[in-house]
mmCIF file of all heavy atoms in Angstrom:
data_model
loop_
_atom_site.group_PDB
_atom_site.id
_atom_site.type_symbol
_atom_site.label_atom_id
_atom_site.label_comp_id
_atom_site.label_asym_id
_atom_site.label_seq_id
_atom_site.Cartn_x
_atom_site.Cartn_y
_atom_site.Cartn_z
ATOM 1 N N ILE A 1196 -11.052 0.269 -8.946
ATOM 2 C CA ILE A 1196 -12.147 -0.211 -9.793
ATOM 3 C C ILE A 1196 -13.492 0.319 -9.306
ATOM 4 O O ILE A 1196 -14.320 0.794 -10.086
ATOM 5 C CB ILE A 1196 -12.144 -1.751 -9.840
ATOM 6 C CG1 ILE A 1196 -10.900 -2.248 -10.585
ATOM 7 C CG2 ILE A 1196 -13.407 -2.275 -10.515
ATOM 8 C CD1 ILE A 1196 -10.710 -3.748 -10.511
ATOM 9 N N GLU A 1197 -13.714 0.262 -7.990
ATOM 10 C CA GLU A 1197 -14.987 0.727 -7.442
ATOM 11 C C GLU A 1197 -15.152 2.239 -7.600
ATOM 12 O O GLU A 1197 -16.246 2.722 -7.905
ATOM 13 C CB GLU A 1197 -15.088 0.333 -5.960
ATOM 14 C CG GLU A 1197 -15.155 -1.161 -5.719
ATOM 15 C CD GLU A 1197 -16.354 -1.808 -6.376
ATOM 16 O OE1 GLU A 1197 -17.415 -1.137 -6.453
ATOM 17 O OE2 GLU A 1197 -16.242 -2.971 -6.802
ATOM 18 N N ILE A 1198 -14.068 2.982 -7.387
ATOM 19 C CA ILE A 1198 -14.155 4.440 -7.556
ATOM 20 C C ILE A 1198 -14.434 4.798 -9.010
ATOM 21 O O ILE A 1198 -15.275 5.670 -9.308
ATOM 22 C CB ILE A 1198 -12.849 5.106 -7.074
ATOM 23 C CG1 ILE A 1198 -12.732 4.986 -5.551
ATOM 24 C CG2 ILE A 1198 -12.807 6.580 -7.468
ATOM 25 C CD1 ILE A 1198 -11.401 5.455 -5.000
ATOM 26 N N ASN A 1199 -13.766 4.137 -9.942
ATOM 27 C CA ASN A 1199 -14.015 4.397 -11.367
ATOM 28 C C ASN A 1199 -15.441 4.023 -11.761
ATOM 29 O O ASN A 1199 -16.076 4.703 -12.578
ATOM 30 C CB ASN A 1199 -13.018 3.616 -12.221
ATOM 31 C CG ASN A 1199 -11.619 4.189 -12.143
ATOM 32 O OD1 ASN A 1199 -11.439 5.378 -11.846
ATOM 33 N ND2 ASN A 1199 -10.622 3.372 -12.390
ATOM 34 N N ARG A 1200 -15.943 2.940 -11.175
ATOM 35 C CA ARG A 1200 -17.320 2.548 -11.476
ATOM 36 C C ARG A 1200 -18.309 3.585 -10.958
ATOM 37 O O ARG A 1200 -19.277 3.947 -11.636
ATOM 38 C CB ARG A 1200 -17.602 1.183 -10.842
ATOM 39 C CG ARG A 1200 -18.957 0.592 -11.214
ATOM 40 C CD ARG A 1200 -19.124 -0.768 -10.559
ATOM 41 N NE ARG A 1200 -18.091 -1.692 -11.004
ATOM 42 C CZ ARG A 1200 -17.911 -2.899 -10.500
ATOM 43 N NH1 ARG A 1200 -18.682 -3.312 -9.497
ATOM 44 N NH2 ARG A 1200 -16.968 -3.690 -10.964
ATOM 45 N N GLY A 1201 -18.070 4.084 -9.745
ATOM 46 C CA GLY A 1201 -18.938 5.121 -9.213
ATOM 47 C C GLY A 1201 -18.886 6.408 -10.019
ATOM 48 O O GLY A 1201 -19.909 7.046 -10.270
ATOM 49 N N LEU A 1202 -17.668 6.788 -10.460
ATOM 50 C CA LEU A 1202 -17.540 7.986 -11.299
ATOM 51 C C LEU A 1202 -18.234 7.810 -12.640
ATOM 52 O O LEU A 1202 -18.837 8.764 -13.168
ATOM 53 C CB LEU A 1202 -16.046 8.297 -11.514
ATOM 54 C CG LEU A 1202 -15.266 8.748 -10.273
ATOM 55 C CD1 LEU A 1202 -13.789 8.904 -10.600
ATOM 56 C CD2 LEU A 1202 -15.825 10.061 -9.720
ATOM 57 N N ALA A 1203 -18.178 6.601 -13.199
ATOM 58 C CA ALA A 1203 -18.871 6.340 -14.473
ATOM 59 C C ALA A 1203 -20.380 6.451 -14.308
ATOM 60 O O ALA A 1203 -21.080 6.995 -15.179
ATOM 61 C CB ALA A 1203 -18.479 4.955 -14.999
ATOM 62 N N VAL A 1204 -20.899 5.941 -13.182
ATOM 63 C CA VAL A 1204 -22.337 6.044 -12.926
ATOM 64 C C VAL A 1204 -22.753 7.504 -12.770
ATOM 65 O O VAL A 1204 -23.772 7.950 -13.324
ATOM 66 C CB VAL A 1204 -22.705 5.235 -11.671
ATOM 67 C CG1 VAL A 1204 -24.148 5.507 -11.253
ATOM 68 C CG2 VAL A 1204 -22.518 3.739 -11.918
ATOM 69 N N LEU A 1205 -21.958 8.269 -12.024
ATOM 70 C CA LEU A 1205 -22.263 9.693 -11.859
ATOM 71 C C LEU A 1205 -22.206 10.431 -13.192
ATOM 72 O O LEU A 1205 -23.016 11.335 -13.443
ATOM 73 C CB LEU A 1205 -21.282 10.320 -10.860
ATOM 74 C CG LEU A 1205 -21.393 9.849 -9.410
ATOM 75 C CD1 LEU A 1205 -20.314 10.482 -8.563
ATOM 76 C CD2 LEU A 1205 -22.768 10.169 -8.843
ATOM 77 N N ARG A 1206 -21.269 10.063 -14.046
ATOM 78 C CA ARG A 1206 -21.165 10.700 -15.364
ATOM 79 C C ARG A 1206 -22.385 10.391 -16.221
ATOM 80 O O ARG A 1206 -22.924 11.268 -16.904
ATOM 81 C CB ARG A 1206 -19.900 10.219 -16.064
ATOM 82 C CG ARG A 1206 -19.642 10.884 -17.409
ATOM 83 C CD ARG A 1206 -18.319 10.437 -18.004
ATOM 84 N NE ARG A 1206 -18.065 11.063 -19.284
ATOM 85 C CZ ARG A 1206 -18.549 10.611 -20.441
ATOM 86 N NH1 ARG A 1206 -19.307 9.521 -20.460
ATOM 87 N NH2 ARG A 1206 -18.285 11.242 -21.563
ATOM 88 N N ASP A 1207 -22.855 9.126 -16.185
ATOM 89 C CA ASP A 1207 -24.052 8.769 -16.945
ATOM 90 C C ASP A 1207 -25.278 9.512 -16.444
ATOM 91 O O ASP A 1207 -26.130 9.953 -17.225
ATOM 92 C CB ASP A 1207 -24.294 7.254 -16.866
ATOM 93 C CG ASP A 1207 -23.243 6.463 -17.631
ATOM 94 O OD1 ASP A 1207 -22.597 7.056 -18.517
ATOM 95 O OD2 ASP A 1207 -23.066 5.267 -17.323
ATOM 96 N N ILE A 1208 -25.369 9.656 -15.116
ATOM 97 C CA ILE A 1208 -26.515 10.377 -14.560
ATOM 98 C C ILE A 1208 -26.469 11.853 -14.945
ATOM 99 O O ILE A 1208 -27.484 12.448 -15.320
ATOM 100 C CB ILE A 1208 -26.529 10.209 -13.027
ATOM 101 C CG1 ILE A 1208 -26.791 8.744 -12.661
ATOM 102 C CG2 ILE A 1208 -27.577 11.111 -12.388
ATOM 103 C CD1 ILE A 1208 -26.629 8.451 -11.192
ATOM 104 N N ALA A 1209 -25.279 12.437 -14.838
ATOM 105 C CA ALA A 1209 -25.153 13.862 -15.160
ATOM 106 C C ALA A 1209 -25.401 14.150 -16.636
ATOM 107 O O ALA A 1209 -25.851 15.249 -16.998
ATOM 108 C CB ALA A 1209 -23.759 14.365 -14.762
ATOM 109 N N SER A 1210 -25.125 13.174 -17.511
ATOM 110 C CA SER A 1210 -25.333 13.386 -18.946
ATOM 111 C C SER A 1210 -26.778 13.215 -19.372
ATOM 112 O O SER A 1210 -27.101 13.403 -20.544
ATOM 113 C CB SER A 1210 -24.456 12.413 -19.746
ATOM 114 O OG SER A 1210 -24.782 11.074 -19.441
#
Side-chain angles (χ1 to χ4, degrees):
I1196 292 172
E1197 294 300 327
I1198 291 173
N1199 288 336
R1200 186 179 299 173
L1202 292 175
V1204 171
L1205 293 176
R1206 184 176 180 276
D1207 291 339
I1208 294 172
S1210 60

